[in-house]
Amino acid sequence: MLVQLLHLSFNRLMLPRQDTVEIFSTFIQFDNDRFAGWATDTRLRRSMRQSLSTITTVNSASFWALYWHQIWQHQPTGLAREHLTAYLQEVCFWSATKTITGFSSSQYSVADCFQVAIARIDKVLKGFDRERGFNLKSYASITCANLIRELLRQQKEIDICSDWSLLRKLSQKRMIEALANAGLDRETIEQYVLAWNCLKTIYVPERASSTRQLPKPQPETWLAIANLYNQERHLQLSSQEAVTCEHLEKWLLICVKAVRSYLFPNVASINQPKPGYETGEIIDSLVGVDQSPLVDMIAQEEIEQRSQQHTDINQFLTAIIKQLKPEEQKLLEFYYALGLKQAEIAQELNTKQYSISRQLSRVRKELLLALAQWSQSTMHISLTSDILDNISSLLEEWLASYYDSN
């Protein structure tokens, strides 16, 4: 608990960006695992200044996030994506910082997890629904944390698996994706997948609980795998050359290498020096796309109306939070602001985990009921099951955003 608080406090030396142009045109720089400053992309800075001169009535970051997201949907590889990547720098940083402290041991640092989140920015942008979500930052905060946690869990599982255990745990879809990612052609992938299926058929551990540390198959097992492969190749492959045990072992080790590389690629910072140059960074070489004519077609009134709705929701929920009992507010702060797990909160408050779980559920239910009733009376929304699910997701995003900014 103390280590987590110190880690978060240390990293809070990062000064948040205030200027709209900076928010959409600067990127985090790291010194080892620490925040070192903001790097400006001059091309994005020019783009933002031009956009602000075109639309002078609004200067809020939330408005421009919706603005660029709408353009991104039409041009996923254009300037809009780069502006949104800059906008979500702080979200990815804090998601990485809070998530990494929840794992007792990991080969990944905060900078690594930050790059993992940034590398999956398209998944975040694709999942965000402007009609439902409270704002992009709150949605991205939850999504990035989930993506990083899933990677860390997978990494922990993969790290303790032997090569042969890993092969048994994979799905065929994941195996094919990994081999394709390694650049192998279709015929080679078919051969490797057949070899892998023969391994899984023949080499079955005696006890399911011992599958994490499976040793290399014995010679007689390799012979049985090779015999099965040579029987099945006539039915499943266009290339029907017989293979030996040595061939199969070599192929399967190539599969292992491809899978580990696919699941956990090396993470490189775009702020690293360019190879062969004493000055300059990789980010300086990124090529963008000129401003699109679609910018002028954005429905500004629609975005402004949605921004006003979000402002109304924020004011309502802020007032409701302040009406909660002090112990309920403290519980939400532990869970959302500090990112503590239920067991950690229970230890901090000297109570049982199931008690914390019930209290959190009750407080969330109260907030959800209040927001649903307000939506029905103020926005005249019919409360169908789908609408309630959307309101529940919106509430979760809002809570993450509210406590992250306080």
Side-chain angles (χ1 to χ4, degrees):
M1 170 69 176
L2 179 59
V3 174
Q4 184 179 35
L5 290 175
L6 288 174
H7 193 94
L8 291 173
S9 298
F10 178 77
N11 277 305
R12 287 191 186 279
L13 293 174
M14 181 185 76
L15 297 176
R17 299 165 295 177
Q18 303 295 333
D19 180 73
T20 303
V21 173
E22 290 184 358
I23 290 172
F24 289 92
S25 63
T26 57
F27 298 84
I28 288 178
Q29 290 183 307
F30 284 95
D31 179 9
N32 293 323
D33 201 30
R34 298 171 55 183
F35 171 79
W38 293 100
T40 300
D41 185 309
T42 55
R43 188 169 39 81
L44 295 182
R45 182 173 58 189
R46 286 195 301 269
S47 171
M48 273 307 301
R49 285 177 174 173
Q50 179 184 350
S51 299
L52 284 167
S53 66
T54 303
I55 302 177
T56 59
T57 57
V58 182
N59 193 27
S60 101
S62 296
F63 167 84
W64 286 105
L66 293 173
Y67 180 89
W68 290 120
H69 185 266
Q70 189 165 345
I71 297 176
W72 171 86
Q73 290 187 311
H74 298 282
Q75 291 186 329
T77 60
L79 272 176
R81 181 184 184 278
E82 297 179 48
H83 280 304
L84 292 170
T85 301
Y87 173 68
L88 294 175
Q89 293 285 294
E90 287 148 325
V91 169
C92 292
F93 179 84
W94 290 120
S95 294
T97 301
K98 293 178 181 179
T99 304
I100 198 69
T101 54
F103 286 79
S104 56
S105 61
S106 174
Q107 70 181 49
Y108 283 82
S109 65
V110 171
D112 293 331
C113 290
F114 170 83
Q115 295 293 354
V116 166
I118 287 295
R120 289 158 175 77
I121 204 73
D122 288 310
K123 187 169 185 178
V124 174
L125 298 178
K126 185 177 180 180
F128 177 63
D129 183 355
R130 297 192 311 275
E131 298 295 334
R132 177 184 62 81
F134 177 73
N135 62 45
L136 178 56
K137 267 193 175 181
S138 55
Y139 175 80
S141 177
I142 296 172
T143 304
C144 287
N146 289 338
L147 290 171
I148 295 171
R149 276 194 292 268
E150 181 61 25
L151 178 132
L152 293 175
R153 292 191 188 101
Q154 288 180 357
Q155 178 70 67
K156 183 178 179 181
E157 178 67 17
I158 295 301
D159 283 346
I160 62 178
C161 283
S162 68
D163 291 344
W164 313 105
S165 300
L166 175 59
L167 288 173
R168 285 202 54 83
K169 289 178 176 293
L170 286 171
S171 67
Q172 182 158 316
K173 178 177 181 293
R174 186 60 59 87
M175 173 63 79
I176 294 174
E177 289 174 348
L179 295 175
N181 183 69
L184 301 180
D185 58 62
R186 183 182 61 81
E187 184 176 307
T188 302
I189 291 176
E190 289 176 351
Q191 292 175 322
Y192 286 10
V193 170
L194 177 57
W196 168 70
N197 277 316
C198 291
L199 171 80
K200 293 183 68 176
T201 301
I202 299 297
Y203 190 30
V204 180
E206 296 180 359
R207 294 181 300 167
S209 59
S210 62
T211 58
R212 284 180 173 175
Q213 292 299 322
L214 281 179
K216 176 182 172 180
Q218 295 296 317
E220 58 271 19
T221 305
W222 278 117
L223 183 59
I225 295 171
N227 288 336
L228 179 59
Y229 178 93
N230 288 322
Q231 292 172 11
E232 293 296 323
R233 63 189 168 89
H234 297 291
L235 302 174
Q236 300 190 33
L237 301 177
S238 54
S239 174
Q240 299 181 7
E241 295 182 5
V243 299
T244 64
C245 298
E246 290 74 18
H247 275 112
L248 289 175
E249 182 179 353
K250 180 181 178 180
W251 289 358
L252 290 170
L253 289 176
I254 291 175
C255 290
V256 170
K257 184 177 180 180
V259 167
R260 292 191 188 276
S261 177
Y262 177 66
L263 292 178
F264 305 104
N266 292 327
V267 179
S269 172
I270 59 177
N271 297 121
Q272 290 181 354
K274 291 190 292 185
Y277 293 86
E278 294 183 0
T279 60
E281 299 174 340
I282 295 175
I283 189 174
D284 299 327
S285 302
L286 297 179
V287 178
V289 180
D290 291 337
Q291 186 87 356
S292 165
L294 283 172
V295 170
D296 297 328
M297 301 173 61
I298 296 298
Q300 181 178 349
E301 295 81 3
E302 176 189 351
I303 298 176
E304 289 178 344
Q305 181 181 13
R306 189 176 299 115
S307 296
Q308 183 58 49
Q309 290 176 347
H310 291 165
T311 299
D312 294 340
I313 293 173
N314 182 68
Q315 292 175 348
F316 172 76
L317 286 175
T318 299
I320 294 296
I321 290 289
K322 292 179 179 179
Q323 294 175 13
L324 294 175
K325 298 177 182 177
E327 58 270 23
E328 293 175 334
Q329 294 187 39
K330 190 171 185 178
L331 183 63
L332 293 177
E333 289 173 2
F334 276 134
Y335 189 78
Y336 290 100
L338 296 180
L340 300 184
K341 300 177 182 178
Q342 293 182 8
E344 294 172 325
I345 299 175
Q347 183 178 3
E348 183 70 20
L349 299 179
N350 195 26
T351 186
K352 301 294 183 181
Q353 180 176 349
Y354 64 80
S355 176
I356 296 298
S357 178
R358 284 203 300 262
Q359 292 178 52
L360 275 173
S361 297
R362 178 175 51 78
V363 174
R364 283 200 197 101
K365 186 176 180 180
E366 290 179 5
L367 294 174
L368 178 60
L369 179 61
L371 181 57
Q373 292 176 342
W374 178 84
S375 301
Q376 187 177 34
S377 61
T378 304
M379 298 185 177
H380 309 290
I381 297 175
S382 300
L383 298 180
T384 64
S385 58
D386 289 340
I387 293 296
L388 287 174
D389 287 341
N390 288 339
I391 292 177
S392 178
S393 299
L394 183 150
L395 175 62
E396 193 68 16
E397 293 171 17
W398 183 87
L399 288 168
S401 175
Y402 176 78
Y403 283 100
D404 184 61
S405 60
N406 287 296

